[in-house]
Amino acid sequence: QIFDIEQIKSEIKKLFSYQSDALHWNLEQIEKVGDIGKKALEAYDKISKTLNVEMHSRESAEKRIKKLLEGKETFMNLSRELAHKAQIRESITIQPKEKVTGIKATLTIKNYLGGYYYFTSDEVEINEKNVFLIEAKHTKENKLPSIGDIKDGLLKMILFTNLEDVKIDGKKYNPIPVLKLTTGQGFKISRLNEQQKIIPDLLKREAKINRFKILVNNSLI
């Protein structure tokens, strides 16, 4: 499979000279998504014949493309529906990289344009007027979770720290984002050398600046 490099270059050039904002650019791309889907299906047909490998569920792909060709609103509604289903699946799934003790919760965010985004919080705890939105990352080893996992958790912190008007069943709460890191039983921050302390120190600084909390094996750092 090879991308059409000239097409990609052409789109990048258009993007560089685009005068409006990212929202309008994305909306314009939505109008093209059905035609792009048709071209992709044709390309997969060629690959299938060349390699003598049957394409997985062509009928399903054709149905999806037909939906996309109906226009922007159909595409947006379909995307929301799929995102909502993914949210529900995630809310009842415990991942190997999560060590959770609280209640997993769904989080539906509405932006100022009326768009909806569907997320989950690995754990949620309510204490009076505060709701703790906890993103959990776990490793069985005697060290902190991987940098990739920590970065993934920090992305959730960016999201959670920018929430406004947070409500549960119509009641307003003050959101407190928490990045929860759990490890093997032999891990102790106090035993780390200077080099190993760099990541925890950076995390503490990040948390202080951006107003979220960090738990390492259930202890605040």
Side-chain angles (χ1 to χ4, degrees), residues 156-195:
K156 276 288 186 73
M157 295 301 100
I158 293 171
L159 178 70
F160 291 168
T161 53
N162 283 283
L163 294 177
E164 296 179 2
D165 195 27
V166 175
K167 294 179 180 178
I168 301 173
D169 295 330
K171 185 178 178 181
K172 195 166 182 176
Y173 287 88
N174 173 46
I176 299 177
V178 181
L179 178 58
K180 176 181 176 180
L181 307 176
T182 50
T183 70
Q185 293 183 354
F187 178 84
K188 301 286 184 184
I189 286 184
S190 59
R191 297 177 185 170
L192 300 180
N193 60 38
E194 291 304 312
Q195 182 67 27

Short mmCIF file of all heavy atoms in Angstrom, two decimals, residues 156-195:
data_model
loop_
_atom_site.label_atom_id
_atom_site.label_comp_id
_atom_site.label_asym_id
_atom_site.label_seq_id
_atom_site.Cartn_x
_atom_site.Cartn_y
_atom_site.Cartn_z
N LYS A 156 -4.60 13.12 29.18
CA LYS A 156 -5.88 13.16 29.89
C LYS A 156 -5.90 14.30 30.91
O LYS A 156 -6.93 14.94 31.12
CB LYS A 156 -6.14 11.82 30.60
CG LYS A 156 -6.76 10.75 29.72
CD LYS A 156 -8.21 11.05 29.41
CE LYS A 156 -8.88 9.92 28.65
NZ LYS A 156 -9.16 8.74 29.48
N MET A 157 -4.76 14.55 31.54
CA MET A 157 -4.70 15.65 32.51
C MET A 157 -4.94 16.99 31.82
O MET A 157 -5.60 17.88 32.37
CB MET A 157 -3.34 15.67 33.23
CG MET A 157 -3.06 14.45 34.12
SD MET A 157 -4.27 14.22 35.45
CE MET A 157 -5.30 12.92 34.73
N ILE A 158 -4.40 17.16 30.61
CA ILE A 158 -4.65 18.38 29.84
C ILE A 158 -6.15 18.56 29.62
O ILE A 158 -6.71 19.65 29.79
CB ILE A 158 -3.92 18.34 28.48
CG1 ILE A 158 -2.41 18.39 28.69
CG2 ILE A 158 -4.36 19.51 27.59
CD1 ILE A 158 -1.61 18.13 27.42
N LEU A 159 -6.79 17.47 29.28
CA LEU A 159 -8.24 17.50 29.04
C LEU A 159 -8.99 17.81 30.33
O LEU A 159 -9.83 18.72 30.38
CB LEU A 159 -8.68 16.15 28.48
CG LEU A 159 -10.17 15.96 28.22
CD1 LEU A 159 -10.60 16.82 27.04
CD2 LEU A 159 -10.48 14.50 27.94
N PHE A 160 -8.69 17.07 31.38
CA PHE A 160 -9.44 17.20 32.64
C PHE A 160 -9.24 18.56 33.30
O PHE A 160 -10.14 19.08 33.95
CB PHE A 160 -9.04 16.10 33.62
CG PHE A 160 -9.48 14.71 33.21
CD1 PHE A 160 -8.98 13.59 33.86
CD2 PHE A 160 -10.39 14.51 32.20
CE1 PHE A 160 -9.38 12.31 33.51
CE2 PHE A 160 -10.80 13.24 31.82
CZ PHE A 160 -10.29 12.14 32.48
N THR A 161 -8.04 19.14 33.17
CA THR A 161 -7.78 20.43 33.83
C THR A 161 -8.49 21.59 33.12
O THR A 161 -8.55 22.69 33.66
CB THR A 161 -6.27 20.74 33.89
OG1 THR A 161 -5.70 20.64 32.59
CG2 THR A 161 -5.56 19.80 34.85
N ASN A 162 -8.99 21.34 31.93
CA ASN A 162 -9.68 22.41 31.18
C ASN A 162 -11.20 22.26 31.19
O ASN A 162 -11.89 22.98 30.47
CB ASN A 162 -9.17 22.45 29.74
CG ASN A 162 -7.81 23.10 29.63
OD1 ASN A 162 -7.68 24.32 29.68
ND2 ASN A 162 -6.76 22.29 29.52
N LEU A 163 -11.69 21.36 32.01
CA LEU A 163 -13.14 21.18 32.09
C LEU A 163 -13.79 22.31 32.88
O LEU A 163 -13.26 22.79 33.87
CB LEU A 163 -13.47 19.84 32.76
CG LEU A 163 -13.05 18.57 32.01
CD1 LEU A 163 -13.38 17.34 32.84
CD2 LEU A 163 -13.74 18.49 30.65
N GLU A 164 -14.95 22.72 32.41
CA GLU A 164 -15.75 23.71 33.12
C GLU A 164 -17.19 23.20 33.24
O GLU A 164 -17.65 22.43 32.41
CB GLU A 164 -15.75 25.05 32.36
CG GLU A 164 -14.37 25.70 32.25
CD GLU A 164 -14.41 26.99 31.46
OE1 GLU A 164 -15.52 27.39 31.05
OE2 GLU A 164 -13.34 27.60 31.26
N ASP A 165 -17.87 23.66 34.26
CA ASP A 165 -19.28 23.32 34.45
C ASP A 165 -19.49 21.80 34.45
O ASP A 165 -20.25 21.26 33.65
CB ASP A 165 -20.12 23.99 33.35
CG ASP A 165 -21.61 23.98 33.68
OD1 ASP A 165 -21.95 23.96 34.88
OD2 ASP A 165 -22.43 23.98 32.74
N VAL A 166 -18.81 21.13 35.36
CA VAL A 166 -18.88 19.67 35.46
C VAL A 166 -20.08 19.26 36.31
O VAL A 166 -20.23 19.72 37.45
CB VAL A 166 -17.58 19.10 36.06
CG1 VAL A 166 -17.70 17.59 36.28
CG2 VAL A 166 -16.41 19.41 35.15
N LYS A 167 -20.93 18.40 35.75
CA LYS A 167 -22.14 17.99 36.47
C LYS A 167 -22.29 16.47 36.44
O LYS A 167 -21.94 15.81 35.46
CB LYS A 167 -23.37 18.63 35.83
CG LYS A 167 -23.43 20.14 35.96
CD LYS A 167 -24.66 20.71 35.29
CE LYS A 167 -24.71 22.24 35.42
NZ LYS A 167 -25.88 22.81 34.71
N ILE A 168 -22.84 15.96 37.54
CA ILE A 168 -23.22 14.55 37.63
C ILE A 168 -24.68 14.51 38.02
O ILE A 168 -25.07 15.03 39.07
CB ILE A 168 -22.37 13.79 38.67
CG1 ILE A 168 -20.88 13.88 38.32
CG2 ILE A 168 -22.81 12.33 38.76
CD1 ILE A 168 -19.97 13.30 39.37
N ASP A 169 -25.49 13.95 37.15
CA ASP A 169 -26.95 13.91 37.37
C ASP A 169 -27.50 15.31 37.67
O ASP A 169 -28.34 15.49 38.56
CB ASP A 169 -27.29 12.95 38.52
CG ASP A 169 -26.96 11.51 38.17
OD1 ASP A 169 -27.02 11.17 36.97
OD2 ASP A 169 -26.64 10.74 39.09
N GLY A 170 -26.98 16.30 36.96
CA GLY A 170 -27.47 17.66 37.09
C GLY A 170 -26.87 18.46 38.24
O GLY A 170 -27.10 19.66 38.34
N LYS A 171 -26.08 17.81 39.09
CA LYS A 171 -25.47 18.50 40.23
C LYS A 171 -24.04 18.90 39.88
O LYS A 171 -23.27 18.09 39.37
CB LYS A 171 -25.47 17.59 41.46
CG LYS A 171 -24.95 18.26 42.72
CD LYS A 171 -25.03 17.32 43.92
CE LYS A 171 -24.47 17.97 45.17
NZ LYS A 171 -24.52 17.05 46.34
N LYS A 172 -23.69 20.14 40.19
CA LYS A 172 -22.38 20.67 39.81
C LYS A 172 -21.30 20.25 40.80
O LYS A 172 -21.52 20.26 42.01
CB LYS A 172 -22.45 22.20 39.72
CG LYS A 172 -21.27 22.82 38.99
CD LYS A 172 -21.54 24.28 38.64
CE LYS A 172 -20.37 24.87 37.87
NZ LYS A 172 -20.64 26.26 37.44
N TYR A 173 -20.12 19.90 40.25
CA TYR A 173 -18.98 19.50 41.08
C TYR A 173 -17.72 20.22 40.62
O TYR A 173 -17.62 20.67 39.48
CB TYR A 173 -18.74 17.98 40.97
CG TYR A 173 -19.77 17.15 41.69
CD1 TYR A 173 -20.95 16.77 41.05
CD2 TYR A 173 -19.57 16.74 43.00
CE1 TYR A 173 -21.90 16.00 41.71
CE2 TYR A 173 -20.51 15.97 43.67
CZ TYR A 173 -21.67 15.60 43.02
OH TYR A 173 -22.61 14.85 43.67
N ASN A 174 -16.76 20.28 41.54
CA ASN A 174 -15.44 20.83 41.23
C ASN A 174 -14.53 19.68 40.79
O ASN A 174 -14.23 18.79 41.60
CB ASN A 174 -14.86 21.51 42.47
CG ASN A 174 -13.43 21.96 42.24
OD1 ASN A 174 -13.11 22.55 41.22
ND2 ASN A 174 -12.56 21.66 43.21
N PRO A 175 -14.08 19.66 39.53
CA PRO A 175 -13.26 18.54 39.06
C PRO A 175 -11.82 18.64 39.55
O PRO A 175 -11.20 19.70 39.48
CB PRO A 175 -13.34 18.67 37.54
CG PRO A 175 -13.54 20.13 37.29
CD PRO A 175 -14.35 20.63 38.46
N ILE A 176 -11.29 17.53 40.04
CA ILE A 176 -9.88 17.46 40.45
C ILE A 176 -9.23 16.31 39.68
O ILE A 176 -9.48 15.14 39.98
CB ILE A 176 -9.75 17.25 41.97
CG1 ILE A 176 -10.40 18.42 42.72
CG2 ILE A 176 -8.27 17.11 42.35
CD1 ILE A 176 -10.37 18.27 44.23
N PRO A 177 -8.41 16.63 38.68
CA PRO A 177 -7.76 15.58 37.90
C PRO A 177 -6.63 14.91 38.69
O PRO A 177 -5.90 15.58 39.42
CB PRO A 177 -7.20 16.32 36.68
CG PRO A 177 -7.85 17.67 36.71
CD PRO A 177 -8.14 17.96 38.14
N VAL A 178 -6.51 13.60 38.53
CA VAL A 178 -5.47 12.85 39.24
C VAL A 178 -4.83 11.85 38.27
O VAL A 178 -5.53 11.08 37.61
CB VAL A 178 -6.06 12.07 40.44
CG1 VAL A 178 -4.95 11.30 41.16
CG2 VAL A 178 -6.78 13.00 41.40
N LEU A 179 -3.51 11.88 38.20
CA LEU A 179 -2.76 10.87 37.46
C LEU A 179 -2.25 9.84 38.46
O LEU A 179 -1.44 10.16 39.33
CB LEU A 179 -1.59 11.50 36.69
CG LEU A 179 -0.70 10.53 35.90
CD1 LEU A 179 -1.50 9.74 34.88
CD2 LEU A 179 0.43 11.29 35.22
N LYS A 180 -2.76 8.63 38.35
CA LYS A 180 -2.45 7.57 39.32
C LYS A 180 -1.49 6.57 38.69
O LYS A 180 -1.82 5.91 37.70
CB LYS A 180 -3.74 6.87 39.75
CG LYS A 180 -3.55 5.69 40.68
CD LYS A 180 -4.91 5.07 41.00
CE LYS A 180 -4.77 3.84 41.87
NZ LYS A 180 -6.09 3.23 42.18
N LEU A 181 -0.29 6.46 39.26
CA LEU A 181 0.72 5.54 38.76
C LEU A 181 0.94 4.43 39.79
O LEU A 181 1.17 4.71 40.97
CB LEU A 181 2.04 6.28 38.51
CG LEU A 181 1.96 7.53 37.61
CD1 LEU A 181 3.32 8.21 37.53
CD2 LEU A 181 1.44 7.18 36.22
N THR A 182 0.83 3.19 39.35
CA THR A 182 1.05 2.06 40.26
C THR A 182 2.13 1.14 39.69
O THR A 182 2.28 1.02 38.47
CB THR A 182 -0.25 1.27 40.51
OG1 THR A 182 -0.87 0.95 39.25
CG2 THR A 182 -1.22 2.08 41.34
N THR A 183 2.86 0.50 40.60
CA THR A 183 4.03 -0.29 40.20
C THR A 183 4.06 -1.62 40.96
O THR A 183 3.17 -1.93 41.74
CB THR A 183 5.31 0.49 40.55
OG1 THR A 183 5.45 0.50 41.99
CG2 THR A 183 5.28 1.92 40.04
N GLY A 184 5.16 -2.36 40.73
CA GLY A 184 5.41 -3.55 41.52
C GLY A 184 5.68 -3.18 42.97
O GLY A 184 6.02 -2.03 43.28
N GLN A 185 5.56 -4.14 43.86
CA GLN A 185 5.65 -3.87 45.31
C GLN A 185 7.02 -3.38 45.75
O GLN A 185 7.16 -2.74 46.79
CB GLN A 185 5.27 -5.12 46.10
CG GLN A 185 3.80 -5.49 45.94
CD GLN A 185 3.41 -6.70 46.77
OE1 GLN A 185 4.26 -7.34 47.39
NE2 GLN A 185 2.12 -7.01 46.80
N GLY A 186 8.06 -3.66 44.95
CA GLY A 186 9.41 -3.28 45.36
C GLY A 186 9.80 -1.86 45.04
O GLY A 186 10.91 -1.43 45.38
N PHE A 187 8.89 -1.09 44.43
CA PHE A 187 9.25 0.27 44.02
C PHE A 187 9.05 1.27 45.16
O PHE A 187 8.01 1.30 45.79
CB PHE A 187 8.40 0.71 42.83
CG PHE A 187 8.66 2.12 42.38
CD1 PHE A 187 9.71 2.40 41.52
CD2 PHE A 187 7.87 3.17 42.83
CE1 PHE A 187 9.97 3.70 41.11
CE2 PHE A 187 8.11 4.47 42.42
CZ PHE A 187 9.17 4.74 41.56
N LYS A 188 10.07 2.09 45.39
CA LYS A 188 9.99 3.17 46.37
C LYS A 188 10.68 4.40 45.79
O LYS A 188 11.85 4.32 45.37
CB LYS A 188 10.69 2.79 47.69
CG LYS A 188 10.13 1.55 48.38
CD LYS A 188 8.81 1.83 49.04
CE LYS A 188 8.32 0.59 49.80
NZ LYS A 188 6.98 0.79 50.38
N ILE A 189 9.99 5.53 45.77
CA ILE A 189 10.60 6.76 45.26
C ILE A 189 11.82 7.14 46.10
O ILE A 189 12.82 7.64 45.57
CB ILE A 189 9.57 7.91 45.25
CG1 ILE A 189 8.58 7.70 44.09
CG2 ILE A 189 10.26 9.27 45.09
CD1 ILE A 189 7.58 8.80 43.90
N SER A 190 11.76 6.88 47.38
CA SER A 190 12.86 7.24 48.28
C SER A 190 14.16 6.50 47.95
O SER A 190 15.25 6.92 48.34
CB SER A 190 12.47 6.97 49.73
OG SER A 190 12.15 5.60 49.91
N ARG A 191 14.04 5.39 47.23
CA ARG A 191 15.23 4.59 46.88
C ARG A 191 15.83 4.98 45.53
O ARG A 191 16.84 4.42 45.12
CB ARG A 191 14.87 3.11 46.85
CG ARG A 191 14.42 2.55 48.20
CD ARG A 191 14.01 1.10 48.05
NE ARG A 191 13.45 0.55 49.29
CZ ARG A 191 12.83 -0.62 49.36
NH1 ARG A 191 12.70 -1.37 48.27
NH2 ARG A 191 12.35 -1.05 50.52
N LEU A 192 15.21 5.91 44.83
CA LEU A 192 15.69 6.28 43.50
C LEU A 192 16.98 7.09 43.59
O LEU A 192 17.17 7.90 44.51
CB LEU A 192 14.63 7.10 42.76
CG LEU A 192 13.27 6.42 42.52
CD1 LEU A 192 12.34 7.36 41.77
CD2 LEU A 192 13.43 5.11 41.74
N ASN A 193 17.85 6.89 42.60
CA ASN A 193 19.05 7.73 42.53
C ASN A 193 18.71 9.05 41.82
O ASN A 193 17.57 9.25 41.38
CB ASN A 193 20.20 6.99 41.82
CG ASN A 193 19.84 6.59 40.39
OD1 ASN A 193 19.18 7.34 39.67
ND2 ASN A 193 20.29 5.41 39.98
N GLU A 194 19.68 9.93 41.72
CA GLU A 194 19.42 11.26 41.16
C GLU A 194 18.89 11.19 39.73
O GLU A 194 17.98 11.94 39.35
CB GLU A 194 20.70 12.11 41.20
CG GLU A 194 21.14 12.49 42.61
CD GLU A 194 20.04 13.22 43.38
OE1 GLU A 194 19.46 14.17 42.80
OE2 GLU A 194 19.76 12.85 44.53
N GLN A 195 19.44 10.30 38.93
CA GLN A 195 18.99 10.16 37.55
C GLN A 195 17.55 9.66 37.50
O GLN A 195 16.73 10.14 36.70
CB GLN A 195 19.92 9.19 36.80
CG GLN A 195 19.57 8.98 35.32
CD GLN A 195 19.80 10.23 34.48
OE1 GLN A 195 20.63 11.07 34.82
NE2 GLN A 195 19.07 10.36 33.39
#
